[in-house]
Amino acid sequence: MTLMTYAEQVKKFKKMIPIGIKSTFELINILKSKVDVEEISFKNFPYYNLQMLTNNATHCVQNMELQIKPDEMRFRIFRVIENEKSDKYNVGTTKDFIFVVIEEHTRYICSNSNKLFLEMELASGVSQDEYNNEGLVFRSVISHMAMAYCEGYC
């Protein structure tokens, strides 16, 4: 595995990042186009995962300006249905099922499938300002793409 400098990451991946932020509704539709999913309730998701998600979404770069409080967050949790469509996302996943979580306000995304996470994060897009100025959201996406590249996902 070869480590890349930030300049190398930008040169290799910047042109792949879509400009324009997708809404939560659009992200859910993108997810549904990639895999078959069923939305699950919080009761079917381990409490410690919910605590971790809330903490991560509270401190994610997308929430730096918004400052959405934990009690205002609305998580959508999706279980990926196992079938041919989802087979490519099972690589490196040892969990009982693949999940994707999207927080409605911040658009924070979490998944236990690295490949699906990367595809969803990339699909979420960045603002023109983030793209032009290589802001924190842009840098987060670039670094995740570099890690995925090193792992053979892109």
Side-chain angles (χ1 to χ4, degrees), residues 53-130:
L53 288 169
T54 302
N55 188 51
N56 289 349
T58 300
H59 297 95
C60 72
V61 293
Q62 297 94 322
N63 199 31
M64 290 179 76
E65 281 186 35
L66 296 172
Q67 292 297 302
I68 304 297
K69 303 291 183 221
D71 61 338
E72 299 170 332
M73 293 186 171
R74 295 180 51 194
F75 293 97
R76 306 280 302 271
I77 305 172
F78 300 90
R79 183 181 72 79
V80 175
I81 296 168
E82 288 186 50
N83 56 25
E84 280 186 37
K85 220 172 159 181
S86 66
D87 282 348
K88 66 183 176 180
Y89 298 108
N90 286 320
V91 177
T93 302
T94 59
K95 303 294 181 192
D96 293 337
F97 63 92
I98 296 174
F99 66 83
V100 176
V101 178
I102 302 171
E103 199 286 316
E104 289 189 5
H105 303 292
T106 62
R107 297 174 323 99
Y108 169 78
I109 299 169
C110 180
S111 177
N112 60 345
S113 165
N114 289 340
K115 183 172 178 54
L116 189 53
F117 165 77
L118 178 68
E119 288 181 15
M120 291 300 299
E121 182 181 51
L122 186 58
S124 70
V126 299
S127 70
Q128 185 71 58
D129 185 57
E130 275 289 319

